[in-house]
Amino acid sequence: GKFVYIVEAKNTPIGNRYIAKRVDIQVIASDDKNSAISGIDAYANYVITTASKPLSDGMQVRLVEE
């Protein structure tokens, strides 16, 4: 099936940790460049769009400012 990874923040004594979470989605409509999807709740602050390494569910990630 189709899925995306979102970022979940976990509070720890030394600061926030960011964890990749796999979320199954449904593609409602798409064209050559964009897709409309459903399945991501409003709490999803960040969708991971690029990564320097392969991702897996539960992996710790680092946010990069652009």
Short mmCIF file of all heavy atoms in Angstrom, two decimals:
data_model
loop_
_atom_site.label_atom_id
_atom_site.label_comp_id
_atom_site.label_asym_id
_atom_site.label_seq_id
_atom_site.Cartn_x
_atom_site.Cartn_y
_atom_site.Cartn_z
N GLY A 1 0.80 -1.18 0.00
CA GLY A 1 0.00 0.00 0.00
C GLY A 1 0.85 1.25 0.00
O GLY A 1 2.08 1.21 0.08
N LYS A 2 0.20 2.36 -0.08
CA LYS A 2 0.87 3.66 -0.08
C LYS A 2 1.02 4.16 1.35
O LYS A 2 0.17 3.94 2.19
CB LYS A 2 0.05 4.67 -0.88
CG LYS A 2 -0.31 4.19 -2.27
CD LYS A 2 0.56 4.83 -3.28
CE LYS A 2 0.03 4.51 -4.66
NZ LYS A 2 0.95 3.80 -5.46
N PHE A 3 2.13 4.85 1.61
CA PHE A 3 2.39 5.38 2.94
C PHE A 3 3.30 6.58 2.85
O PHE A 3 3.94 6.83 1.83
CB PHE A 3 3.01 4.31 3.84
CG PHE A 3 4.37 3.86 3.39
CD1 PHE A 3 5.52 4.48 3.86
CD2 PHE A 3 4.51 2.82 2.49
CE1 PHE A 3 6.78 4.07 3.45
CE2 PHE A 3 5.76 2.40 2.07
CZ PHE A 3 6.89 3.03 2.54
N VAL A 4 3.35 7.35 3.94
CA VAL A 4 4.31 8.44 4.13
C VAL A 4 4.88 8.29 5.53
O VAL A 4 4.34 7.57 6.37
CB VAL A 4 3.67 9.84 3.97
CG1 VAL A 4 3.17 10.07 2.56
CG2 VAL A 4 2.57 10.07 4.99
N TYR A 5 5.99 8.96 5.77
CA TYR A 5 6.55 9.05 7.11
C TYR A 5 6.29 10.45 7.65
O TYR A 5 6.50 11.44 6.95
CB TYR A 5 8.06 8.79 7.10
CG TYR A 5 8.42 7.34 6.95
CD1 TYR A 5 8.88 6.84 5.74
CD2 TYR A 5 8.31 6.46 8.02
CE1 TYR A 5 9.21 5.51 5.59
CE2 TYR A 5 8.65 5.13 7.88
CZ TYR A 5 9.10 4.66 6.67
OH TYR A 5 9.42 3.34 6.53
N ILE A 6 5.82 10.52 8.89
CA ILE A 6 5.65 11.79 9.56
C ILE A 6 6.64 11.83 10.73
O ILE A 6 7.23 10.81 11.09
CB ILE A 6 4.21 12.01 10.07
CG1 ILE A 6 3.83 10.96 11.12
CG2 ILE A 6 3.22 12.04 8.92
CD1 ILE A 6 2.54 11.27 11.85
N VAL A 7 6.83 13.00 11.30
CA VAL A 7 7.73 13.18 12.43
C VAL A 7 6.91 13.31 13.70
O VAL A 7 5.98 14.13 13.77
CB VAL A 7 8.62 14.43 12.25
CG1 VAL A 7 9.47 14.67 13.48
CG2 VAL A 7 9.47 14.29 11.01
N GLU A 8 7.23 12.50 14.70
CA GLU A 8 6.63 12.62 16.02
C GLU A 8 7.70 13.11 16.99
O GLU A 8 8.81 12.58 16.99
CB GLU A 8 6.12 11.27 16.52
CG GLU A 8 4.81 10.85 15.94
CD GLU A 8 4.24 9.64 16.68
OE1 GLU A 8 5.01 8.86 17.27
OE2 GLU A 8 3.02 9.49 16.66
N ALA A 9 7.37 14.11 17.80
CA ALA A 9 8.30 14.62 18.81
C ALA A 9 8.06 13.89 20.11
O ALA A 9 6.91 13.72 20.53
CB ALA A 9 8.12 16.12 18.99
N LYS A 10 9.13 13.46 20.75
CA LYS A 10 9.06 12.83 22.06
C LYS A 10 9.90 13.65 23.02
O LYS A 10 11.08 13.90 22.76
CB LYS A 10 9.59 11.40 22.00
CG LYS A 10 8.86 10.55 21.00
CD LYS A 10 8.39 9.29 21.61
CE LYS A 10 7.68 8.50 20.52
NZ LYS A 10 6.72 7.63 21.00
N ASN A 11 9.30 14.09 24.11
CA ASN A 11 10.02 14.88 25.11
C ASN A 11 10.88 13.96 25.97
O ASN A 11 10.41 12.93 26.44
CB ASN A 11 9.05 15.64 26.01
CG ASN A 11 8.33 16.73 25.25
OD1 ASN A 11 8.88 17.31 24.33
ND2 ASN A 11 7.10 16.99 25.63
N THR A 12 12.15 14.33 26.14
CA THR A 12 13.06 13.59 27.00
C THR A 12 13.73 14.60 27.94
O THR A 12 13.68 15.81 27.69
CB THR A 12 14.14 12.85 26.18
OG1 THR A 12 14.99 13.80 25.54
CG2 THR A 12 13.52 11.93 25.14
N PRO A 13 14.39 14.14 28.99
CA PRO A 13 15.06 15.07 29.91
C PRO A 13 16.13 15.94 29.24
O PRO A 13 16.42 17.03 29.70
CB PRO A 13 15.69 14.15 30.95
CG PRO A 13 14.87 12.91 30.91
CD PRO A 13 14.42 12.77 29.49
N ILE A 14 16.70 15.48 28.13
CA ILE A 14 17.75 16.26 27.46
C ILE A 14 17.23 16.99 26.22
O ILE A 14 17.99 17.50 25.43
CB ILE A 14 18.95 15.37 27.09
CG1 ILE A 14 18.53 14.21 26.19
CG2 ILE A 14 19.65 14.88 28.32
CD1 ILE A 14 19.68 13.41 25.64
N GLY A 15 15.92 17.03 26.04
CA GLY A 15 15.34 17.74 24.91
C GLY A 15 14.43 16.84 24.09
O GLY A 15 14.16 15.70 24.45
N ASN A 16 13.96 17.37 22.97
CA ASN A 16 13.08 16.61 22.11
C ASN A 16 13.85 15.60 21.26
O ASN A 16 14.94 15.90 20.78
CB ASN A 16 12.30 17.53 21.17
CG ASN A 16 11.18 18.25 21.88
OD1 ASN A 16 10.71 17.81 22.92
ND2 ASN A 16 10.74 19.35 21.30
N ARG A 17 13.27 14.42 21.08
CA ARG A 17 13.74 13.44 20.11
C ARG A 17 12.68 13.38 19.03
O ARG A 17 11.48 13.47 19.31
CB ARG A 17 13.88 12.05 20.75
CG ARG A 17 15.06 11.93 21.66
CD ARG A 17 15.17 10.54 22.26
NE ARG A 17 14.88 9.49 21.30
CZ ARG A 17 14.38 8.30 21.62
NH1 ARG A 17 14.11 8.00 22.86
NH2 ARG A 17 14.15 7.40 20.69
N TYR A 18 13.11 13.22 17.80
CA TYR A 18 12.19 13.15 16.68
C TYR A 18 12.23 11.75 16.09
O TYR A 18 13.29 11.23 15.78
CB TYR A 18 12.53 14.21 15.63
CG TYR A 18 12.45 15.61 16.19
CD1 TYR A 18 13.60 16.30 16.54
CD2 TYR A 18 11.23 16.21 16.42
CE1 TYR A 18 13.53 17.57 17.08
CE2 TYR A 18 11.14 17.48 16.97
CZ TYR A 18 12.29 18.16 17.29
OH TYR A 18 12.21 19.40 17.83
N ILE A 19 11.04 11.15 15.96
CA ILE A 19 10.91 9.77 15.53
C ILE A 19 10.09 9.73 14.24
O ILE A 19 9.05 10.39 14.12
CB ILE A 19 10.20 8.93 16.62
CG1 ILE A 19 10.89 9.07 17.96
CG2 ILE A 19 10.07 7.47 16.19
CD1 ILE A 19 12.30 8.56 18.02
N ALA A 20 10.54 8.94 13.26
CA ALA A 20 9.80 8.73 12.02
C ALA A 20 8.69 7.71 12.28
O ALA A 20 8.93 6.66 12.86
CB ALA A 20 10.72 8.23 10.92
N LYS A 21 7.47 8.05 11.89
CA LYS A 21 6.34 7.15 12.05
C LYS A 21 5.70 6.91 10.69
O LYS A 21 5.35 7.87 9.99
CB LYS A 21 5.32 7.74 13.02
CG LYS A 21 4.10 6.86 13.20
CD LYS A 21 3.10 7.48 14.13
CE LYS A 21 1.86 6.59 14.21
NZ LYS A 21 0.78 7.23 14.95
N ARG A 22 5.56 5.65 10.32
CA ARG A 22 4.92 5.30 9.05
C ARG A 22 3.41 5.41 9.20
O ARG A 22 2.82 4.92 10.17
CB ARG A 22 5.29 3.87 8.66
CG ARG A 22 4.67 3.45 7.36
CD ARG A 22 5.00 2.01 7.05
NE ARG A 22 4.07 1.51 6.05
CZ ARG A 22 4.39 0.65 5.13
NH1 ARG A 22 5.60 0.14 5.08
NH2 ARG A 22 3.50 0.26 4.26
N VAL A 23 2.78 6.10 8.23
CA VAL A 23 1.32 6.28 8.23
C VAL A 23 0.80 5.83 6.86
O VAL A 23 1.24 6.34 5.82
CB VAL A 23 0.95 7.76 8.47
CG1 VAL A 23 -0.56 7.95 8.42
CG2 VAL A 23 1.50 8.24 9.80
N ASP A 24 -0.12 4.87 6.87
CA ASP A 24 -0.75 4.43 5.62
C ASP A 24 -1.70 5.51 5.13
O ASP A 24 -2.42 6.12 5.93
CB ASP A 24 -1.50 3.12 5.83
CG ASP A 24 -0.56 1.97 6.14
OD1 ASP A 24 0.57 1.96 5.61
OD2 ASP A 24 -0.95 1.07 6.90
N ILE A 25 -1.70 5.75 3.82
CA ILE A 25 -2.54 6.80 3.23
C ILE A 25 -3.31 6.24 2.05
O ILE A 25 -3.02 5.15 1.56
CB ILE A 25 -1.69 8.00 2.77
CG1 ILE A 25 -0.60 7.55 1.79
CG2 ILE A 25 -1.07 8.73 3.94
CD1 ILE A 25 -0.34 8.50 0.69
N GLN A 26 -4.27 7.01 1.58
CA GLN A 26 -4.98 6.72 0.35
C GLN A 26 -4.80 7.91 -0.59
O GLN A 26 -4.93 9.06 -0.17
CB GLN A 26 -6.47 6.51 0.60
CG GLN A 26 -6.77 5.26 1.39
CD GLN A 26 -8.26 5.08 1.60
OE1 GLN A 26 -9.03 6.04 1.59
NE2 GLN A 26 -8.67 3.85 1.81
N VAL A 27 -4.48 7.63 -1.84
CA VAL A 27 -4.35 8.69 -2.85
C VAL A 27 -5.74 8.94 -3.43
O VAL A 27 -6.37 8.03 -3.97
CB VAL A 27 -3.35 8.30 -3.95
CG1 VAL A 27 -3.30 9.37 -5.02
CG2 VAL A 27 -1.98 8.06 -3.36
N ILE A 28 -6.22 10.16 -3.27
CA ILE A 28 -7.56 10.53 -3.74
C ILE A 28 -7.51 10.94 -5.21
O ILE A 28 -8.34 10.56 -6.01
CB ILE A 28 -8.14 11.66 -2.88
CG1 ILE A 28 -8.27 11.18 -1.43
CG2 ILE A 28 -9.47 12.13 -3.42
CD1 ILE A 28 -8.60 12.28 -0.46
N ALA A 29 -6.51 11.75 -5.56
CA ALA A 29 -6.34 12.23 -6.93
C ALA A 29 -4.88 12.58 -7.13
O ALA A 29 -4.18 12.91 -6.17
CB ALA A 29 -7.21 13.46 -7.19
N SER A 30 -4.41 12.50 -8.37
CA SER A 30 -3.02 12.88 -8.64
C SER A 30 -2.85 13.27 -10.09
O SER A 30 -3.65 12.91 -10.94
CB SER A 30 -2.06 11.75 -8.27
OG SER A 30 -2.29 10.63 -9.07
N ASP A 31 -1.79 14.05 -10.33
CA ASP A 31 -1.37 14.38 -11.69
C ASP A 31 0.12 14.05 -11.78
O ASP A 31 0.62 13.27 -10.99
CB ASP A 31 -1.69 15.83 -12.04
CG ASP A 31 -1.00 16.85 -11.13
OD1 ASP A 31 0.03 16.50 -10.49
OD2 ASP A 31 -1.46 17.99 -11.07
N ASP A 32 0.82 14.65 -12.73
CA ASP A 32 2.24 14.33 -12.92
C ASP A 32 3.12 14.77 -11.77
O ASP A 32 4.19 14.20 -11.55
CB ASP A 32 2.75 14.98 -14.21
CG ASP A 32 2.13 14.35 -15.45
OD1 ASP A 32 1.62 13.22 -15.34
OD2 ASP A 32 2.15 14.99 -16.51
N LYS A 33 2.71 15.79 -11.01
CA LYS A 33 3.57 16.35 -9.97
C LYS A 33 2.99 16.31 -8.57
O LYS A 33 3.73 16.37 -7.60
CB LYS A 33 3.91 17.81 -10.31
CG LYS A 33 4.76 17.96 -11.53
CD LYS A 33 5.14 19.40 -11.72
CE LYS A 33 6.00 19.54 -12.97
NZ LYS A 33 6.47 20.90 -13.14
N ASN A 34 1.68 16.27 -8.41
CA ASN A 34 1.05 16.39 -7.10
C ASN A 34 0.04 15.28 -6.87
O ASN A 34 -0.52 14.74 -7.82
CB ASN A 34 0.33 17.74 -6.98
CG ASN A 34 1.27 18.90 -7.13
OD1 ASN A 34 2.19 19.04 -6.35
ND2 ASN A 34 1.05 19.74 -8.13
N SER A 35 -0.20 15.00 -5.59
CA SER A 35 -1.22 14.04 -5.21
C SER A 35 -2.00 14.57 -4.02
O SER A 35 -1.44 15.18 -3.12
CB SER A 35 -0.59 12.70 -4.81
OG SER A 35 0.01 12.08 -5.92
N ALA A 36 -3.30 14.33 -4.03
CA ALA A 36 -4.15 14.62 -2.88
C ALA A 36 -4.31 13.31 -2.12
O ALA A 36 -4.60 12.28 -2.71
CB ALA A 36 -5.51 15.14 -3.33
N ILE A 37 -4.08 13.37 -0.81
CA ILE A 37 -4.11 12.15 -0.02
C ILE A 37 -5.04 12.31 1.18
O ILE A 37 -5.38 13.42 1.58
CB ILE A 37 -2.71 11.75 0.48
CG1 ILE A 37 -2.13 12.82 1.41
CG2 ILE A 37 -1.79 11.47 -0.69
CD1 ILE A 37 -0.84 12.41 2.10
N SER A 38 -5.45 11.18 1.73
CA SER A 38 -6.17 11.16 3.01
C SER A 38 -5.51 10.12 3.89
O SER A 38 -4.84 9.22 3.41
CB SER A 38 -7.65 10.84 2.81
OG SER A 38 -7.80 9.51 2.36
N GLY A 39 -5.69 10.27 5.18
CA GLY A 39 -5.13 9.31 6.11
C GLY A 39 -4.19 9.92 7.13
O GLY A 39 -3.81 9.25 8.08
N ILE A 40 -3.81 11.18 6.95
CA ILE A 40 -2.94 11.85 7.91
C ILE A 40 -3.82 12.70 8.82
O ILE A 40 -4.59 13.54 8.35
CB ILE A 40 -1.89 12.73 7.22
CG1 ILE A 40 -0.98 11.88 6.36
CG2 ILE A 40 -1.07 13.49 8.26
CD1 ILE A 40 0.05 12.67 5.60
N ASP A 41 -3.71 12.47 10.11
CA ASP A 41 -4.49 13.24 11.08
C ASP A 41 -3.93 14.66 11.19
O ASP A 41 -2.81 14.94 10.80
CB ASP A 41 -4.44 12.58 12.45
CG ASP A 41 -5.19 11.26 12.46
OD1 ASP A 41 -6.15 11.11 11.68
OD2 ASP A 41 -4.80 10.38 13.24
N ALA A 42 -4.72 15.52 11.79
CA ALA A 42 -4.32 16.92 11.95
C ALA A 42 -3.09 17.08 12.84
O ALA A 42 -2.42 18.09 12.77
CB ALA A 42 -5.49 17.72 12.52
N TYR A 43 -2.77 16.08 13.66
CA TYR A 43 -1.62 16.20 14.56
C TYR A 43 -0.29 16.04 13.84
O TYR A 43 0.75 16.28 14.41
CB TYR A 43 -1.70 15.18 15.70
CG TYR A 43 -1.54 13.75 15.26
CD1 TYR A 43 -0.28 13.19 15.10
CD2 TYR A 43 -2.65 12.95 14.99
CE1 TYR A 43 -0.12 11.87 14.68
CE2 TYR A 43 -2.50 11.65 14.58
CZ TYR A 43 -1.24 11.12 14.43
OH TYR A 43 -1.09 9.82 14.01
N ALA A 44 -0.30 15.66 12.58
CA ALA A 44 0.95 15.46 11.84
C ALA A 44 1.55 16.82 11.49
O ALA A 44 1.10 17.50 10.59
CB ALA A 44 0.69 14.66 10.57
N ASN A 45 2.58 17.22 12.23
CA ASN A 45 3.20 18.52 12.00
C ASN A 45 4.10 18.51 10.78
O ASN A 45 4.16 19.47 10.04
CB ASN A 45 4.02 18.94 13.23
CG ASN A 45 3.14 19.25 14.41
OD1 ASN A 45 2.03 19.70 14.24
ND2 ASN A 45 3.63 18.99 15.59
N TYR A 46 4.84 17.43 10.60
CA TYR A 46 5.81 17.37 9.51
C TYR A 46 5.67 16.05 8.76
O TYR A 46 5.60 14.99 9.38
CB TYR A 46 7.25 17.46 10.03
CG TYR A 46 7.56 18.76 10.73
CD1 TYR A 46 7.60 18.84 12.11
CD2 TYR A 46 7.82 19.91 9.99
CE1 TYR A 46 7.90 20.02 12.75
CE2 TYR A 46 8.11 21.10 10.62
CZ TYR A 46 8.15 21.15 11.99
OH TYR A 46 8.43 22.33 12.62
N VAL A 47 5.67 16.12 7.45
CA VAL A 47 5.77 14.94 6.60
C VAL A 47 7.20 14.92 6.07
O VAL A 47 7.71 15.93 5.59
CB VAL A 47 4.76 14.98 5.43
CG1 VAL A 47 4.98 13.82 4.47
CG2 VAL A 47 3.34 14.97 5.96
N ILE A 48 7.87 13.78 6.17
CA ILE A 48 9.24 13.67 5.70
C ILE A 48 9.22 13.57 4.18
O ILE A 48 8.60 12.67 3.62
CB ILE A 48 9.94 12.46 6.33
CG1 ILE A 48 9.99 12.63 7.86
CG2 ILE A 48 11.35 12.29 5.75
CD1 ILE A 48 10.51 11.42 8.61
N THR A 49 9.89 14.52 3.52
CA THR A 49 9.90 14.55 2.06
C THR A 49 11.24 14.10 1.48
O THR A 49 11.28 13.66 0.34
CB THR A 49 9.56 15.96 1.54
OG1 THR A 49 10.51 16.89 2.07
CG2 THR A 49 8.16 16.36 1.93
N THR A 50 12.32 14.25 2.22
CA THR A 50 13.63 13.80 1.76
C THR A 50 14.40 13.22 2.94
O THR A 50 14.16 13.59 4.09
CB THR A 50 14.47 14.94 1.16
OG1 THR A 50 14.66 15.95 2.13
CG2 THR A 50 13.82 15.53 -0.09
N ALA A 51 15.30 12.31 2.64
CA ALA A 51 16.13 11.70 3.67
C ALA A 51 17.48 11.35 3.08
O ALA A 51 17.59 11.04 1.89
CB ALA A 51 15.46 10.45 4.23
N SER A 52 18.51 11.41 3.90
CA SER A 52 19.86 11.08 3.43
C SER A 52 20.15 9.59 3.58
O SER A 52 21.12 9.10 3.02
CB SER A 52 20.90 11.89 4.19
OG SER A 52 20.82 11.62 5.58
N LYS A 53 19.29 8.88 4.32
CA LYS A 53 19.44 7.44 4.53
C LYS A 53 18.05 6.79 4.44
O LYS A 53 17.04 7.46 4.64
CB LYS A 53 20.03 7.15 5.91
CG LYS A 53 21.41 7.68 6.11
CD LYS A 53 21.91 7.36 7.50
CE LYS A 53 23.30 7.94 7.71
NZ LYS A 53 23.79 7.72 9.06
N PRO A 54 17.99 5.49 4.19
CA PRO A 54 16.69 4.82 4.20
C PRO A 54 16.02 4.93 5.57
O PRO A 54 16.69 4.89 6.60
CB PRO A 54 17.03 3.36 3.89
CG PRO A 54 18.36 3.42 3.20
CD PRO A 54 19.09 4.60 3.80
N LEU A 55 14.69 5.09 5.57
CA LEU A 55 13.93 5.24 6.80
C LEU A 55 13.22 3.95 7.16
O LEU A 55 12.90 3.15 6.29
CB LEU A 55 12.86 6.32 6.65
CG LEU A 55 13.34 7.75 6.52
CD1 LEU A 55 12.15 8.65 6.23
CD2 LEU A 55 14.03 8.19 7.79
N SER A 56 12.95 3.79 8.45
CA SER A 56 12.08 2.72 8.91
C SER A 56 11.25 3.27 10.06
O SER A 56 11.61 4.26 10.70
CB SER A 56 12.88 1.49 9.34
OG SER A 56 13.73 1.82 10.42
N ASP A 57 10.12 2.62 10.31
CA ASP A 57 9.21 3.06 11.37
C ASP A 57 9.91 3.01 12.72
O ASP A 57 10.56 2.02 13.06
CB ASP A 57 7.98 2.16 11.37
CG ASP A 57 6.85 2.70 12.21
OD1 ASP A 57 6.68 3.94 12.25
OD2 ASP A 57 6.13 1.90 12.82
N GLY A 58 9.83 4.10 13.47
CA GLY A 58 10.43 4.17 14.79
C GLY A 58 11.86 4.67 14.82
O GLY A 58 12.45 4.81 15.88
N MET A 59 12.42 4.95 13.65
CA MET A 59 13.81 5.43 13.57
C MET A 59 13.90 6.87 14.07
O MET A 59 13.02 7.69 13.78
CB MET A 59 14.28 5.35 12.13
CG MET A 59 15.66 5.91 11.87
SD MET A 59 16.10 5.82 10.12
CE MET A 59 16.66 4.14 10.03
N GLN A 60 14.95 7.19 14.81
CA GLN A 60 15.17 8.56 15.24
C GLN A 60 15.69 9.36 14.04
O GLN A 60 16.54 8.89 13.28
CB GLN A 60 16.19 8.62 16.38
CG GLN A 60 16.34 10.01 16.95
CD GLN A 60 17.13 10.03 18.24
OE1 GLN A 60 17.22 9.04 18.94
NE2 GLN A 60 17.70 11.18 18.54
N VAL A 61 15.14 10.57 13.87
CA VAL A 61 15.52 11.43 12.75
C VAL A 61 15.93 12.80 13.28
O VAL A 61 15.66 13.15 14.42
CB VAL A 61 14.39 11.57 11.72
CG1 VAL A 61 14.07 10.25 11.06
CG2 VAL A 61 13.13 12.16 12.35
N ARG A 62 16.58 13.56 12.42
CA ARG A 62 17.03 14.91 12.78
C ARG A 62 16.38 15.87 11.79
O ARG A 62 16.37 15.63 10.58
CB ARG A 62 18.55 14.99 12.66
CG ARG A 62 19.13 16.32 13.00
CD ARG A 62 20.66 16.27 13.08
NE ARG A 62 21.24 15.46 12.04
CZ ARG A 62 21.93 15.93 11.00
NH1 ARG A 62 22.11 17.22 10.87
NH2 ARG A 62 22.45 15.12 10.10
N LEU A 63 15.84 16.97 12.30
CA LEU A 63 15.23 17.98 11.44
C LEU A 63 16.33 18.92 10.94
O LEU A 63 17.19 19.32 11.70
CB LEU A 63 14.19 18.78 12.21
CG LEU A 63 13.00 18.00 12.76
CD1 LEU A 63 12.06 18.94 13.49
CD2 LEU A 63 12.28 17.26 11.66
N VAL A 64 16.26 19.28 9.68
CA VAL A 64 17.22 20.20 9.08
C VAL A 64 16.47 21.45 8.64
O VAL A 64 15.47 21.38 7.94
CB VAL A 64 17.94 19.54 7.88
CG1 VAL A 64 18.87 20.53 7.20
CG2 VAL A 64 18.68 18.30 8.30
N GLU A 65 16.97 22.59 9.07
CA GLU A 65 16.37 23.87 8.66
C GLU A 65 16.85 24.20 7.26
O GLU A 65 18.00 24.03 6.93
CB GLU A 65 16.80 24.98 9.62
CG GLU A 65 16.34 24.79 11.04
CD GLU A 65 14.86 24.98 11.21
OE1 GLU A 65 14.28 25.81 10.47
OE2 GLU A 65 14.26 24.32 12.07
N GLU A 66 15.92 24.69 6.43
CA GLU A 66 16.29 25.09 5.07
C GLU A 66 16.31 26.58 4.95
O GLU A 66 15.67 27.31 5.54
CB GLU A 66 15.30 24.50 4.06
CG GLU A 66 15.46 23.01 3.95
CD GLU A 66 14.65 22.44 2.80
OE1 GLU A 66 14.58 23.10 1.74
OE2 GLU A 66 14.09 21.38 2.98
#
